[in-house]
């Protein structure tokens, strides 16, 4: 794998930088400076994703004939790296990176025509209906029933930890259509409208103390919700196959570019904050050692991602190796938020609103300190979602190492 950039690659890099300088406006930068997780509220997300769509860059991994960019592997690497280093919002993955690949691979022509264009343009917002109370990492144990009634399925049960369900127009959902045989063999994959009668959404509070517009997760209840059979992806009772395909994309994302930017921010914070001896925190040997160890881990992850995604561009599936990326990336994310919290110190604490003595702005200290604690608490979930890291290690042991 040749990592040297050609003159054409360098020209493309400058093109991306010039576009970001114009498209990533002051309002978006101001919002992102206070983001706890790299995303914005729905209005901000749609604004940014439509800018990418208008430039033709919103779906680098899609086939060109469906709206993809046609980037070479080096261009894809440059593009992702420049967005990450500039600190731009992460495009919402639910439609673009998770549901769309399943529709492309297993959907009918009618489903592709109905759903792919509005996913690409961010005119339709998606959420994921996988986990249930009692069925998280053991996803095959899900119980939400879908009983066939003529041309419809009738759904009863609930989904939990549903990110941004309150914003979603559609959900891609796993349901139980059979109780015969192995649990994996009775699951189907449905697409359903979130305004269907019988759906109720209840927000779930989280430790990161979300500000207005940042509430993330919900529980979604289904009471005799009717979904057309025509909204099923692929065959009945084959949804587990499609779900595993989708999880390769959920777990196999590139982490390194964002981690590099996060470490750069920690270094900057450490030049502003003081160590115990009164000098700059960045000059403290113990703190510098922690940054160095994380930088080594991130550079190693970056090299691994380049190797894997280079193979993917040649037609190779990510497969079970995506579990390795998920473990290494999520644990590095958590370590960086911990280091950020250490750098900010006591100024991180006031993010908790004191109900006995409320203040006008609710925070003390510099602006850069405000997201430190919310980000720390938010990223506790990174080693749990998309299948806990313990489960990922079992997958690697079996399918990668052959143990």
């Amino acid at each position: 794998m040749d990592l040297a950039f050609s003159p054409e690659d360098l020209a493309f890099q400058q093109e991306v930088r010039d576009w970001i300088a114009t498209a990533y406006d002051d309002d978006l930068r101001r919002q992102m400076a206070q983001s706890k997780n790299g995303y914005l509220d729905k209005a901000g997300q749609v604004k940014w994703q439509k800018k990418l769509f208008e430039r033709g860059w919103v779906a680098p991994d899609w086939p060109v004939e469906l709206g993809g960019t046609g980037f070479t592997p080096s261009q894809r690497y440059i593009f992702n790296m420049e967005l990450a280093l500039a600190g731009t919002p992460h495009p919402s993955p639910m439609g673009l990176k998770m549901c769309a690949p399943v529709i492309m691979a297993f959907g009918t022509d009618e489903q592709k025509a109905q759903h792919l264009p509005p996913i690409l343009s961010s005119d339709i917002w998606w959420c994921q209906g996988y986990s249930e109370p009692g069925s998280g990492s053991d996803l095959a144990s899900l119980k939400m029933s879908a009983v066939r009634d003529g041309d419809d399925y009738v759904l009863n049960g609930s989904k939990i930890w549903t990110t941004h369900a309150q914003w979603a127009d559609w959900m891609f959902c796993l349901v139980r259509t059979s109780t015969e045989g192995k649990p994996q063999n009775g699951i189907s994959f449905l697409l359903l409208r979130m305004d269907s009668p019988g759906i109720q959404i209840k927000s779930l509070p989280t430790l990161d103390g979300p500000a207005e517009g940042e509430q993330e997760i919900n529980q979604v209840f289904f009471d005799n919700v009717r979904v057309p059979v025509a909204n099923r992806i692929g065959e009945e009772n084959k949804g587990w196959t499609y779900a595993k395909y989708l999880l390769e994309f959920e777990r196999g994302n590139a982490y390194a570019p964002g981690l590099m930017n996060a470490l750069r921010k920690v270094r900057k914070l450490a030049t502003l904050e003081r160590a115990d001896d009164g000098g700059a925190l960045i000059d403290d040997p113990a703190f510098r050692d922690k940054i160095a160890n994380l930088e080594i881990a991130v550079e190693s992850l970056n090299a691994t991602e380049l190797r894997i995604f280079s193979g993917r561009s040649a037609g190779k599936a990510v497969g079970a190796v995506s579990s390795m990326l998920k473990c290494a990336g999520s644990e590095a994310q958590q370590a960086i938020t911990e280091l950020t919290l250490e750098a900010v110190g006591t100024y991180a604490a006031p993010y908790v609103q004191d109900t006995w003595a409320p203040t006008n702005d609710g925070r003390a200290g510099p602006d850069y300190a405000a997201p430190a604690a919310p980000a720390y608490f938010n990223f506790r979930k990174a080693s749990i979602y998309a299948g806990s890291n313990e489960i990922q290690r079992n997958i690697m042991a079996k399918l990668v190492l052959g143990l």
Side-chain angles (χ1 to χ4, degrees):
M1 182 174 59
D2 184 5
L3 297 182
F5 289 148
S6 67
E8 292 78 14
D9 289 334
L10 294 175
F12 175 72
Q13 182 180 52
Q14 189 59 53
E15 180 184 358
V16 174
R17 289 177 178 176
D18 292 343
W19 180 82
I20 291 173
T22 300
Y24 190 29
D25 58 41
D26 290 341
D27 179 56
L28 288 171
R29 291 175 188 270
R30 186 165 47 251
Q31 293 181 61
M32 275 298 292
Q34 298 301 310
S35 173
K36 66 187 179 185
N37 60 4
Y39 297 95
L40 304 175
D41 62 14
K42 186 176 182 180
Q45 283 293 136
V46 170
K47 176 182 177 181
W48 175 244
Q49 290 176 204
K50 282 189 173 292
K51 285 175 179 281
L52 287 167
F53 169 70
E54 290 162 4
R55 184 61 185 82
W57 286 347
V58 75
D61 295 324
W62 285 31
V64 173
E65 62 271 19
L66 295 176
T69 60
F71 287 162
T72 65
S74 57
Q75 286 178 325
R76 186 180 291 110
Y77 172 81
I78 289 169
F79 179 70
N80 290 332
M81 183 64 73
E82 292 301 323
L83 290 180
L85 292 178
T88 64
H90 307 310
S92 176
M94 300 298 178
L96 287 165
K97 295 185 178 182
M98 294 166 66
C99 186
V102 174
I103 295 174
M104 290 177 196
F106 305 106
T108 64
D109 289 340
E110 291 77 10
Q111 289 168 338
K112 294 173 186 177
Q114 178 183 2
H115 296 294
L116 294 181
I119 289 175
L120 190 70
S121 62
S122 296
D123 288 331
I124 296 295
W125 205 261
W126 287 79
C127 65
Q128 179 186 43
Y130 272 27
S131 294
E132 299 180 6
S135 296
S137 294
D138 183 17
L139 187 58
S141 68
L142 67 86
K143 294 181 173 58
M144 192 169 102
S145 64
V147 178
R148 184 76 177 259
D149 181 25
D151 292 332
D152 292 337
Y153 289 110
V154 180
L155 276 56
N156 283 282
S158 74
K159 296 293 179 179
I160 202 167
W161 318 127
T162 313
T163 301
H164 295 157
Q166 77 275 22
W167 297 344
D169 304 293
W170 283 77
M171 172 189 282
F172 55 95
C173 188
L174 295 181
V175 296
R176 183 155 301 285
T177 44
S178 174
T179 57
E180 301 294 325
K182 292 176 60 177
Q184 291 89 336
N185 295 339
I187 294 172
S188 296
F189 194 113
L190 299 182
L191 310 179
L192 60 93
R193 292 185 60 92
M194 289 297 286
D195 60 358
S196 301
I199 291 180
Q200 181 183 9
I201 302 170
K202 180 180 179 182
S203 64
L204 296 175
T206 52
L207 286 173
D208 50 30
E212 184 178 355
E214 290 187 347
Q215 185 253 320
E216 274 192 275
I217 60 173
N218 308 269
Q219 185 167 4
V220 183
F221 297 89
F222 297 79
D223 182 12
N224 291 323
V225 176
R226 302 187 75 89
V227 177
V229 173
N231 287 15
R232 187 188 69 222
I233 294 291
E235 299 179 50
E236 186 173 271
N237 299 326
K238 298 293 185 182
W240 188 250
T241 298
Y242 315 139
K244 289 192 296 182
Y245 179 79
L246 183 150
L247 286 171
E248 290 185 18
F249 294 89
E250 184 177 6
R251 296 168 181 163
N253 295 318
Y255 286 87
L259 293 170
M260 290 177 179
N261 184 51
L263 275 175
R264 187 175 66 174
K265 289 181 179 179
V266 176
R267 277 190 169 274
K268 182 178 180 180
L269 292 183
T271 64
L272 302 172
E273 293 294 323
R274 300 294 97 186
D276 292 340
D277 63 4
L281 182 60
I282 194 63
D283 295 327
D284 178 75
F287 193 84
R288 289 174 66 89
D289 184 60
K290 293 175 183 178
I291 287 184
N293 286 332
L294 276 172
E295 286 178 337
I296 292 169
V298 170
E299 287 295 341
S300 299
L301 179 60
N302 186 45
T304 302
E305 288 179 347
L306 284 172
R307 173 173 54 83
I308 292 171
F309 294 137
S310 177
R312 181 174 164 186
S313 68
K316 298 179 181 178
V318 177
V321 178
S322 64
S323 295
M324 177 177 64
L325 300 184
K326 197 268 178 177
C327 284
S330 61
E331 289 169 6
Q333 286 175 329
Q334 292 178 335
I336 291 173
T337 63
E338 291 170 13
L339 201 58
T340 303
L341 201 66
E342 180 179 340
V344 172
T346 56
Y347 283 130
Y351 98 94
V352 179
Q353 292 185 1
D354 186 342
T355 56
W356 293 101
T359 60
N360 291 331
D361 58 12
R363 303 187 189 276
D367 288 344
Y368 63 74
Y376 168 82
F377 286 111
N378 186 272
F379 276 98
R380 296 308 91 197
K381 69 188 182 191
S383 54
I384 300 173
Y385 62 54
S388 71
N389 285 12
E390 291 79 8
I391 296 295
Q392 304 312 314
R393 288 185 169 87
N394 287 341
I395 292 172
M396 289 186 283
K398 181 179 180 181
L399 300 180
V400 179
L401 301 178
L403 300 178

